[in-house]
Coordinates of all heavy atoms in Angstrom, one line a residue:
T36 N 75.8 82.2 117.7 CA 77.1 81.5 117.4 C 78.3 82.5 117.3 O 79.4 82.3 117.7 CB 77.0 80.7 116.0 OG1 75.9 81.1 115.3 CG2 77.1 79.3 116.2
L50 N 93.7 84.2 128.5 CA 94.6 83.2 129.0 C 96.0 83.5 128.6 O 97.0 83.4 129.3 CB 94.2 81.8 128.5 CG 93.0 81.2 129.3 CD1 92.5 79.9 128.6 CD2 93.3 80.9 130.8
R69 N 109.8 94.4 128.4 CA 109.1 95.3 127.5 C 108.2 94.5 126.5 O 107.0 94.8 126.3 CB 110.0 96.2 126.8 CG 110.3 97.4 127.6 CD 110.9 98.5 126.7 NE 111.3 99.5 127.6 CZ 112.4 100.2 127.4 NH1 113.2 100.0 126.4 NH2 112.8 101.2 128.3
L79 N 95.0 92.5 125.1 CA 93.9 93.2 125.7 C 93.2 94.1 124.7 O 91.9 94.2 124.7 CB 94.3 94.0 127.0 CG 94.7 93.1 128.2 CD1 95.0 93.9 129.4 CD2 93.6 92.0 128.5
R101 N 94.6 97.5 136.0 CA 95.4 96.8 137.0 C 96.7 96.4 136.4 O 97.8 96.4 137.1 CB 94.7 95.5 137.4 CG 93.4 95.8 138.1 CD 93.4 95.3 139.6 NE 92.2 95.9 140.3 CZ 91.3 95.2 140.9 NH1 91.4 93.9 140.8 NH2 90.4 95.8 141.6
A122 N 100.4 94.0 143.3 CA 99.9 94.6 142.0 C 99.8 93.5 140.9 O 98.8 93.4 140.1 CB 100.8 95.7 141.5
D146 N 73.3 78.0 125.8 CA 71.9 77.8 126.3 C 70.9 78.5 125.4 O 69.9 77.9 125.1 CB 71.8 78.4 127.7 CG 72.6 77.6 128.7 OD1 73.1 76.5 128.4 OD2 72.8 78.1 129.8
I158 N 58.1 74.5 116.3 CA 57.5 75.1 115.1 C 57.4 74.0 114.0 O 56.3 73.9 113.4 CB 58.3 76.3 114.6 CG1 58.2 77.4 115.5 CG2 57.9 76.6 113.1 CD1 59.1 78.6 115.2
L165 N 49.9 70.4 111.5 CA 48.9 71.2 110.9 C 48.7 70.8 109.5 O 47.6 70.6 109.0 CB 49.2 72.7 110.9 CG 48.7 73.5 112.1 CD1 49.2 74.9 112.0 CD2 47.2 73.5 112.2
D261 N -9.1 30.1 48.7 CA -10.0 29.9 47.5 C -9.4 28.8 46.6 O -8.3 28.9 46.1 CB -9.9 31.3 46.7 CG -11.0 31.3 45.6 OD1 -11.3 30.2 45.1 OD2 -11.4 32.5 45.2
N267 N -3.2 27.7 40.2 CA -2.2 28.7 39.7 C -1.0 28.8 40.7 O -1.1 29.6 41.7 CB -2.9 30.0 39.5 CG -2.1 31.0 38.8 OD1 -0.8 30.9 38.7 ND2 -2.7 32.0 38.2
R271 N -0.2 31.6 43.6 CA -0.2 31.1 45.0 C 1.1 31.5 45.7 O 1.0 32.0 46.9 CB -0.3 29.6 44.9 CG -0.7 29.0 46.3 CD -1.0 27.5 46.3 NE -1.1 27.2 47.7 CZ -2.2 27.4 48.4 NH1 -3.2 28.0 47.8 NH2 -2.2 27.1 49.6
R305 N 0.3 39.0 82.7 CA -0.7 38.2 83.3 C 0.0 36.9 83.6 O 0.2 36.0 82.8 CB -1.8 37.9 82.3 CG -2.8 39.1 82.3 CD -4.0 38.8 81.5 NE -4.3 40.2 80.9 CZ -4.2 40.4 79.6 NH1 -3.7 39.5 78.8 NH2 -4.4 41.6 79.1
D344 N 4.1 35.4 82.2 CA 3.0 35.7 81.2 C 3.3 34.9 79.9 O 4.3 35.3 79.3 CB 3.0 37.2 80.9 CG 1.9 37.7 80.0 OD1 1.6 36.9 79.0 OD2 1.4 38.8 80.2
R347 N 4.0 36.8 76.6 CA 5.2 37.6 76.6 C 6.4 36.7 76.5 O 7.4 37.1 75.8 CB 5.2 38.5 77.9 CG 4.2 39.6 77.9 CD 4.4 40.6 76.8 NE 3.5 41.7 76.8 CZ 3.4 42.5 75.8 NH1 4.2 42.4 74.7 NH2 2.5 43.5 75.8
N358 N 15.6 36.4 65.3 CA 16.9 37.1 65.1 C 17.9 36.1 64.6 O 18.7 36.3 63.7 CB 17.3 37.8 66.3 CG 16.7 39.2 66.5 OD1 16.1 39.7 65.6 ND2 16.9 39.8 67.6
I391 N 28.2 39.7 66.4 CA 28.1 41.0 66.8 C 29.4 41.5 67.3 O 30.1 40.8 68.1 CB 27.0 41.3 67.8 CG1 25.7 40.7 67.4 CG2 26.8 42.7 68.2 CD1 24.7 40.3 68.4
G431 N 11.6 39.4 86.5 CA 12.7 39.2 87.5 C 13.9 38.5 87.0 O 14.7 38.0 87.8

Side-chain angles (χ1 to χ4, degrees):
T36 13
L50 283 174
R69 271 197 191 141
L79 291 183
R101 298 242 167 121
D146 292 348
I158 289 174
L165 267 180
D261 189 338
N267 188 339
R271 197 175 171 77
R305 276 185 221 111
D344 182 324
R347 289 296 181 190
N358 276 350
I391 304 157

